[in-house]
Every structure is written in structure tokens, then in C-alpha cells.
Amino acid sequence: MKSNWDGVMPAVFTWLKESKSGTLEIDFDETQKQAAEILKTQGKGGSRMSGLVGSGTLGENSYLSNKQRISLLKSLSEVAKEYNVPLISGAAAETKEELAKIVEGLATVGVDTVMVMPPKTKTVPSDTEMYEYYVLAEKTARDVGVTIMPYNNPDAAGYHAISTELLLRLSQLSNVTALKISTIDVSIIETLMLKNKDLKILAGVDTVTVHAGLAGACGGITGVGNIFPKASVTMQEYVLKGQWDKANKISQALNSLSYLDAQPLLLEYLKLAMGIHHNDVAGGLLTFGKKLNQHQIDDVKARYILAKERLEVLDLVS
């Protein structure tokens, strides 16, 4: 599927349920239902989400087995096809050979684009090693009919950001269709765009959606958009039209909640907020992640209520 990166894409949650034995397992029906509800929501300008991101940080990715991850993505591919959007999933490995196998596996279950994280190594790889890692991923993706998106996330990688010089080299590979930049410092986006105005760059942190657009990003991958999809889509509509005042009003309304997207416990925080939004606090608390204390729970509730009140004034709560 040819991807249209000019828009916003939700990194959807993986909903869980208790099995008969008391252990947590993936609730495929609820996961599909939530994803579909997000994708069908329209912004004020009539557009919808332009893609679906599955099994990411917000999708319990670091806690899932490979078998669970593959089953989850196969399930989400049905939703992506129904709404005619690309399915995107992340991949990271210690070696380039291991990464190539992951890319091959993702292609078999309907993933259209693989967001490739830097190598998961104990020592910081050289630019040469990093480039070779991505080159093999790009070649493998080309062979199996998918595309890749280098994913610059220094916090998740555990070491320094990919250099702008290397990102520009990677963007020239034929099967690289976009770059994902997850940082609150959007200057790297502007630097890349000044070097190549035709780049497609997606922002990965909700707090900087408007500033990333000003710097040249064509879209973003959102966590808060799961909870308030109408607001997220509408804000991106205004960003793409250069209507910065209108976009900024929505950003400010969302800010109390968007803040959580840039925190180490973003999965636990935002999943709880999603549960509150759907009057399903128990479901929202079901996660393989860390257990929140009462202070954290109360903070998320207060942030959610404030964002909802502000968005209701703007008629952006669907």
C-alpha cells in the first residue's frame, strides 16, 4: 500500500483480559474495536487518521512475546485494510541479521511499513555499523514488499541520537519512505528539511505537534490521539494548512494530557486515561507494565478531566 504520510497516525493500545487461569492475555476483539473507532473518527475538516501503528511502546511491545506480537499485528491488519490505511510496526534488534528476520516476519502478517529502531547494543555503534544495519533492513524490506522508516529515538535506544548526516544518508535509500523523529527538540527536523525540503518526517511526541509542523514535519504518530482522535486529526488538519493559531489552541487544550506522552511511564499513564475516557478504568489498568500508585492515578484523572473540559469548549470530543 502506498503510504500518505501527510497526517497523523495513532499508536494504538493493546487491550488485555484475564484468562481463566488468571494470567493476562491479549483481547483481540477489544483491540480491534478500539482501533476501528479511532480510524473512523473525522476531524472538523473531514479527514481521518492516515495510518495505524500497532505493537509500539503504547501497544505493550516490550512485554509481548514474538508469537503474541505477530498475532496482534495480524489482527490489526484486518482493521487497517478495512479503513484502507497502512499498518506500521516497529522493529529493533541487536544485530542486522536478527533485524532482517524480524522485517521478514512482519511482512507476512500485513505490515506495510517497519519503523526501524537503532541497534539494541550495549556499546554505541559507529555510524558505519549503524548504516550497515539499516541498509540490510532496507534491502530485506524491498525483497519482501514493505518499506522502512528509520526511527530516531535516543531515549528508547539508550544512547545518542542518530546524526543528521546519517539520517540524510538513510533517507536516500530507495525503500525508505519517511523518517520518524521522537524528541522535544524539533530543531533536528528543521535542520533535515533545510538539507532536503522533500523529506517526509513524522514527529513522535504529542507535545510538539505544532512546533514540528512549523519545522517542516508532514505528520506525526500520536498517543493522545487514541483518547481524543477528533482533536488530534483536526489539529493536524490546521497544521497542514498553516493555520497555526487554530492548531495551537488545540495543542494548548490537550497539553495537560500530551505531557504524559513524553514521560517514561507513557504506556501506563495514557492507557489509564483511555480507560477513564471509556468508563473502563479496570480495563485501562490492565497492563503488563508497571502498577501505578494512587498519586499517579489521581494525577492522570485530573489531567484527563482538564483536557476534556478544554476540548468540549472547542467541540472536539467525539
Side-chain angles (χ1 to χ4, degrees), residues 50-81:
S50 57
L52 178 64
V53 181
S55 186
T57 301
L58 293 178
E60 313 271 342
N61 178 66
S62 60
Y63 301 101
L64 300 178
S65 67
N66 186 59
K67 182 178 179 181
Q68 287 175 315
R69 193 174 297 112
I70 290 297
S71 297
L72 171 63
L73 289 167
K74 187 174 183 180
S75 174
L76 286 173
S77 71
E78 297 174 10
V79 182
K81 288 177 182 176

Side-chain angles (χ1 to χ4, degrees), residues 95-291:
T95 68
K96 59 181 183 288
E97 292 80 13
E98 181 186 356
L99 176 64
K101 290 180 180 179
I102 293 173
V103 172
E104 289 174 346
L106 293 176
T108 66
V109 291
V111 171
D112 298 288
T113 297
V114 182
M115 296 186 301
V116 180
M117 289 281 292
K120 296 191 298 183
T121 52
K122 294 180 180 179
T123 58
V124 179
S126 67
D127 273 11
T128 298
E129 292 170 326
M130 189 93 77
Y131 184 71
E132 291 174 350
Y133 173 87
Y134 278 100
V135 163
L136 183 57
E138 187 269 343
K139 180 183 182 302
T140 304
R142 191 163 9 106
D143 290 343
V144 296
V146 299
T147 62
I148 69 167
M149 180 191 302
Y151 182 5
N152 191 17
N153 188 335
D155 289 336
Y159 48 79
H160 64 75
I162 302 174
S163 68
T164 54
E165 292 77 12
L166 182 54
L167 285 169
L168 287 167
R169 285 185 70 194
L170 295 178
S171 70
Q172 294 170 5
L173 297 173
S174 62
N175 228 34
V176 170
T177 58
L179 303 173
K180 181 183 177 185
I181 307 296
S182 286
T183 174
I184 60 174
D185 178 8
V186 300
S187 63
I188 186 174
I189 297 175
E190 189 166 28
T191 299
L192 289 165
M193 294 301 298
L194 286 171
K195 296 284 187 180
N196 182 355
K197 62 180 178 60
D198 295 322
L199 283 178
K200 294 293 185 179
I201 298 178
L202 300 178
V205 183
D206 279 310
T207 55
V208 300
T209 298
V210 177
H211 291 92
L214 280 163
C218 64
I221 294 176
T222 178
V224 173
N226 289 293
I227 306 162
F228 295 115
K230 183 178 179 180
S232 186
V233 173
T234 303
M235 178 166 57
Q236 189 62 41
E237 288 175 341
Y238 290 146
V239 167
L240 291 174
K241 293 176 182 177
Q243 296 177 321
W244 306 112
D245 287 348
K246 291 182 178 181
N248 201 46
K249 282 184 180 179
I250 301 174
S251 179
Q252 289 173 329
L254 282 168
N255 194 49
S256 64
L257 206 58
S258 296
Y259 165 83
L260 301 176
D261 188 53
Q263 305 307 307
L265 294 179
L266 73 161
L267 161 62
E268 293 85 350
Y269 290 156
L270 291 179
K271 196 169 191 183
L272 172 59
M274 182 74 159
I276 295 169
H277 187 63
H278 287 277
N279 297 312
D280 178 22
V281 178
L285 286 171
L286 289 179
T287 171
F288 291 122
K290 295 181 179 180
K291 184 176 178 60

